[in-house]
Amino acid sequence: MDIALRADSISCGYGTRPVLHEVTFDLHRGEMLGVLGPNGSGKSTLIRALTKTLPLESGRVLLYGQEVTTLSLKKMARTVAVISQNGEIPFAFTALDVVLMGRTPHLGRFQRETRRDLDIALEAMRRADAIQFKDRVIHELSGGERQRVIIARALAQEPTVLLLDEPTSHLDLSHQIEAFDLLDHLCKADHLAVLCVLHDLNLAAEYCSRLMIIHQGRVFATGSPSDILTAEHIKDVYGATVAVTESPYTGAPQVLIMPRKNFRKETHER
């Protein structure tokens, strides 16, 4: 399997506050790698480090074998697309206008979009099942519809690597499933390399081919969902008591929480 992105012992932080410590992993074409961990563990910082938004203190990031420090941001954006937690659009653009913004890395200074750029944007909307929204103002769309447009904008960049930072954190359950169904299809059909930071352990188990837990800025464990989502790992990392079972639909691990009120009740009864 082709390695699209490699983090080689990267460390970074903010000022004098270190966040990531010697993080190493590979991201392959055609896989969805889920990045898990508690709040403050360094998950969002990892995406900033991978995209040169945050300078490294040590280590290196390789994009198809080339150090990203040697690449301009514009050149990187032709290969890597990022979907952040806050995908809000501040102005009343149409959905098509928003998607056309994804063509910016391919345009020269002051260059306007060509017919080819328009065709690529429309095809990205078709792939993201958002073509029916092309003439609607982005603020008029539901959360799930808007997220499909944001994904289409990323696809219009024609990336081979897609980085997502909690892309469904503000969506209801139905729209979360809809978004991940789309990402799963794009990953398999287009052979994209997808890295997704997320909090929902059960969504991660269902859709990610591989999981990586970040804990206190370090890689705690990497492997298949069945290897990673164990009661022991979740206790060690999240401090939560859970049971892990199998989904009756797919066989993927599913995490069942034990509310702390039940634990206190059992302790009191003893």
Side-chain angles (χ1 to χ4, degrees):
M1 191 179 290
D2 296 339
I3 296 175
L5 191 67
R6 168 172 285 172
D8 183 8
S9 196
I10 64 173
S11 300
C12 62
Y14 303 96
T16 60
R17 182 171 67 90
V19 177
L20 296 180
H21 308 275
E22 299 183 345
V23 170
T24 296
F25 69 92
D26 293 334
L27 177 65
H28 301 89
R29 294 287 304 273
E31 77 164 344
M32 191 185 303
L33 172 65
V35 180
L36 308 175
N39 288 334
S41 59
K43 302 185 301 299
S44 295
T45 298
L46 176 63
I47 289 187
R48 297 187 187 106
L50 295 175
T51 55
K52 298 203 305 181
T53 306
L54 183 66
L56 300 181
E57 295 173 3
S58 61
R60 57 184 186 160
V61 176
L62 303 173
L63 182 62
Y64 294 103
Q66 188 171 1
E67 288 198 43
V68 297
T69 53
T70 68
L71 303 173
S72 68
L73 290 176
K74 187 170 185 177
K75 188 170 183 179
M76 274 194 68
R78 294 172 185 165
T79 303
V80 180
V82 180
I83 297 176
S84 61
Q85 294 181 42
N86 184 5
E88 290 298 317
I89 307 297
F91 301 107
F93 293 108
T94 67
L96 178 56
D97 288 335
V98 171
V99 176
L100 276 169
M101 294 174 189
R103 297 302 300 159
T104 302
H106 300 273
L107 301 177
R109 192 177 183 185
F110 304 123
Q111 181 183 352
R112 294 186 61 83
E113 298 91 350
T114 65
R115 179 68 214 188
R116 179 175 180 274
D117 294 310
L118 178 61
D119 289 343
I120 290 171
L122 291 171
E123 179 59 23
M125 297 190 82
R126 291 187 190 95
R127 289 162 64 200
D129 192 22
I131 191 67
Q132 63 271 34
F133 313 133
K134 69 182 181 70
D135 297 320
R136 291 178 59 186
V137 175
I138 190 73
H139 297 153
E140 296 175 355
L141 302 179
S142 71
E145 292 167 345
R146 195 159 51 244
Q147 192 66 350
R148 298 213 301 262
V149 172
I150 298 300
I151 292 173
R153 180 179 65 181
L155 294 178
Q157 290 179 225
E158 299 182 293
T160 58
V161 178
L162 190 57
L163 308 178
L164 305 104
D165 189 2
E166 299 184 43
T168 60
S169 59
H170 302 298
L171 301 182
D172 61 32
L173 180 60
S174 175
H175 288 134
Q176 288 180 28
I177 294 170
E178 186 178 272
F180 271 99
D181 278 344
L182 171 59
L183 291 171
D184 180 66
H185 171 75
L186 294 170
C187 183
K188 292 173 180 174
D190 296 349
H191 209 52
L192 290 180
V194 179
L195 181 147
C196 186
V197 169
L198 66 169
H199 274 296
D200 192 310
L201 304 184
N202 292 334
L203 272 177
E206 286 292 352
Y207 287 97
C208 297
S209 49
R210 204 158 50 96
L211 298 176
M212 177 172 69
I213 296 179
I214 301 288
H215 183 42
Q216 296 178 350
R218 300 182 185 274
V219 175
F220 178 84
T222 306
S224 69
S226 296
D227 291 336
I228 297 305
L229 293 180
T230 67
E232 293 79 11
H233 283 168
I234 293 169
K235 180 69 173 178
D236 289 343
V237 172
Y238 293 93
T241 301
V242 302
V244 180
T245 185
E246 287 187 358
S247 165
Y249 303 110
T250 65
Q254 295 289 284
V255 177
L256 307 177
I257 65 168
M258 176 186 286
R260 286 196 169 95
K261 63 180 181 179
N262 289 359
F263 178 76
R264 288 195 297 268
K265 180 180 178 182
E266 290 178 3
T267 303
H268 179 73
E269 289 175 350
R270 289 182 192 142

